[in-house]
């Protein structure tokens, strides 16, 4: 591992104040009932109902015809030894925890819902059903085959997405923003994304686009304060030429400010690079780290396109992350390393962070 370097911890990005979202929903932190949430203005009930129906229709009821994960990947769906499981606390404790610190639902791959302080955010929407060709990649990161179909091993959760305040996009690749998402998501939701992805989002009909280049931020009002969302570099490859070809993507540092401050770093598709070390120098310690794992491309001719276990443990240590919720594993066939590789290496290196392996579709409190 290279010697760790950093940059001065100076916030010098451009701040953009976003419009006040619709009135705060009193039950935003309450445990899910399994029914769609009542939408807030300006989303009408008809649109919400159609969205729920279209998303439910995307889930394949026949789970027997899809490809199976490679050996070792299926075991990743259960929390490995030494990792904290995503279990639901008793109802009273759950309500108190969600009121103070929010909650998260992993929906497979890079897709998660984050709820905190009256805001509901969706990351990298990949909403298509299980099957042997969930999407196609221009060139497979392992085999190099062009226009390669990629299997999805698990259906998205049946629970509808419900009301969304913000969609956060790391980059415009088919395994992070798929055709189902482009077709079914509400077009008037606030969309924070890299400048390189604006054209694709606009072509899909999205109208409230907030492009953020690296070191620029957006500020959103919350129930009790505000949320600052800073775009940070997400280098898709250690190979500079390949990284440029794959396009400029974002990670995001999210900082809730108010009575109960909280910080989160979602990496997007990034390998462990000097820019990520610089993020650590500026923002460590981080309350929650949300890394993309899977070691995509580790067996290909041009190397990693997301972190493997070794890189992720080193990054978590540098960030002084208090908690880690690993995502971007298990769901798709181009993921090459099970989440157990990370949990086992974290244990062997005595990583101080507490690792919480999420259960696909289950809600878990944001750990503090």
């Amino acid at each position: 591992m290279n010697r760790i370097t950093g940059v001065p911890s100076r916030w010098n990005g451009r701040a953009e104040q976003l419009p006040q979202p619709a009135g705060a929903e009193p039950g935003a932190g309450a445990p899910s009932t399994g029914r769609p949430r009542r939408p807030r203005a300006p989303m009408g009930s008809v649109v919400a109902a159609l969205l729920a129906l279209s998303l439910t229709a995307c889930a394949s009821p026949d789970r027997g015809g899809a490809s199976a994960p490679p050996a070792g990947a299926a075991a990743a769906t259960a929390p490995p030894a030494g990792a904290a499981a995503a279990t639901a606390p008793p109802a009273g404790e759950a309500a108190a925890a969600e009121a103070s610190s929010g909650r998260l639902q992993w929906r497979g791959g890079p897709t998660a819902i984050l709820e905190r302080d009256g805001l509901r955010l969706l990351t990298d929407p990949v909403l298509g059903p299980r099957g042997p060709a969930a999407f196609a990649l221009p060139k497979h990161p392992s085999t190099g085959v062009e226009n390669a179909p990629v299997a999805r091993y698990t259906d998205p959760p049946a629970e509808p997405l419900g009301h969304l305040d913000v969609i956060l996009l790391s980059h415009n690749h088919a395994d992070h923003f798929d055709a189902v998402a482009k077709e079914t998501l509400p077009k008037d939701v606030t969309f924070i994304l890299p400048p390189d992805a604006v054209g694709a989002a606009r072509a899909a009909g999205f109208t409230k686009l907030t492009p953020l280049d690296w070191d620029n931020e957006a500020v959103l009002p919350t129930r009790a304060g505000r949320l600052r969302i800073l775009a940070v570099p997400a280098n898709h490859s250690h190979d500079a030429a390949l990284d440029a070809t794959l396009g400029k993507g974002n990670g995001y540092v999210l900082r809730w400010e108010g009575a109960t401050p909280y910080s989160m770093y979602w990496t997007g598709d990034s390998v462990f690079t000097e820019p990520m070390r610089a993020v650590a120098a500026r923002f460590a310690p981080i309350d929650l780290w949300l890394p993309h794992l899977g070691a995509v491309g580790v067996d290909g001719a041009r190397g990693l396109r997301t972190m493997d276990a070794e890189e992720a443990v080193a990054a978590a240590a540098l960030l002084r992350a208090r908690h880690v919720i690993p995502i971007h594993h298990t769901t798709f066939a181009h993921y090459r390393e099970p989440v157990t590789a990370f949990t086992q290496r974290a244990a062997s290196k005595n990583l101080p962070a507490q690792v919480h392996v999420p259960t696909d579709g289950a809600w878990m409190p944001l750990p503090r």
Side-chain angles (χ1 to χ4, degrees):
M1 186 65 65
N2 294 333
R3 184 174 65 86
I4 295 173
T5 60
V7 298
S9 178
R10 176 182 173 85
W11 187 286
N12 56 10
R14 175 179 60 85
E16 179 170 356
Q17 183 76 31
L18 294 183
Q20 169 75 44
E25 183 178 0
S32 170
T33 63
R35 297 189 300 272
R37 293 176 176 271
R38 179 174 297 174
R40 300 197 294 259
M43 184 188 298
S45 59
V46 175
V47 176
L50 290 175
L51 175 61
L53 288 173
S54 64
L55 292 178
T56 303
C58 292
S60 170
D62 179 9
R63 301 176 68 92
S67 304
T77 58
T87 56
E93 294 179 18
E98 289 157 10
S100 62
S101 60
R103 62 179 188 163
L104 177 148
Q105 182 193 46
W106 180 48
R107 299 181 68 94
T111 309
I113 296 176
L114 306 172
E115 289 185 354
R116 194 173 194 277
D117 202 10
L119 288 180
R120 186 175 169 96
L121 300 88
L122 176 69
T123 68
D124 278 0
V126 185
L127 308 180
R130 178 185 186 185
F135 48 80
L137 295 179
K139 184 174 288 189
H140 198 283
S142 297
T143 65
V145 171
E146 295 184 354
N147 298 316
V150 175
R152 178 167 186 152
Y153 298 136
T154 59
D155 279 317
E159 180 184 346
L161 290 172
H163 171 81
L164 299 172
D165 293 297
V166 178
I167 297 173
L168 274 178
L169 188 69
S170 65
H171 62 301
N172 179 40
H173 287 175
D175 56 337
H176 291 261
F177 188 24
D178 70 358
V180 175
K182 291 175 181 177
E183 180 180 353
T184 61
L185 286 170
K187 300 302 185 283
D188 60 349
V189 65
T190 296
F191 210 127
I192 295 176
L193 70 176
D196 286 358
V198 167
R202 184 175 289 125
F206 295 93
T207 59
K208 294 183 179 178
L209 305 180
T210 302
L212 289 184
D213 207 346
W214 294 348
D215 212 32
N216 288 174
E217 70 168 341
V219 180
L220 292 83
T222 65
R223 264 197 308 236
R226 61 181 182 175
L227 170 61
R228 300 166 70 98
I229 301 176
L230 178 76
V232 297
N235 296 108
H236 218 323
S237 172
H238 290 289
D239 182 309
L242 177 60
D243 190 46
T245 299
L246 293 172
K248 189 174 181 180
N250 287 350
Y252 295 95
V253 174
L254 291 80
R255 300 191 300 167
W256 282 265
E257 299 177 344
T260 56
Y262 194 78
S263 61
M264 179 189 304
Y265 173 24
W266 171 44
T267 66
D269 270 7
S270 181
V271 292
F272 187 33
T273 60
E274 292 301 320
M276 190 178 289
R277 293 182 175 93
V279 171
R282 296 170 71 178
F283 297 109
I286 289 285
D287 290 316
L288 174 62
W289 191 44
L290 206 64
H292 284 195
L293 302 185
V296 175
V298 68
D299 52 352
R302 304 187 76 173
L304 287 172
R305 301 194 189 180
T306 62
M307 285 177 286
D308 62 5
E310 179 181 359
E311 289 197 346
V313 169
L318 189 62
L319 284 158
R320 288 183 285 141
R322 297 184 176 96
H323 300 272
V324 179
I325 299 179
I327 61 173
H328 201 272
H329 55 78
T330 308
T331 312
F332 294 107
H334 64 317
Y335 299 164
R336 286 308 201 236
E337 190 176 76
V339 69
T340 49
F342 172 72
T343 57
Q344 290 167 4
R345 186 168 184 86
S348 70
K349 294 293 184 180
N350 295 316
L351 184 69
Q354 186 171 3
V355 178
H356 309 262
V357 176
T359 301
D360 196 341
W363 286 97
M364 59 187 298
L366 291 178
R368 292 190 64 87

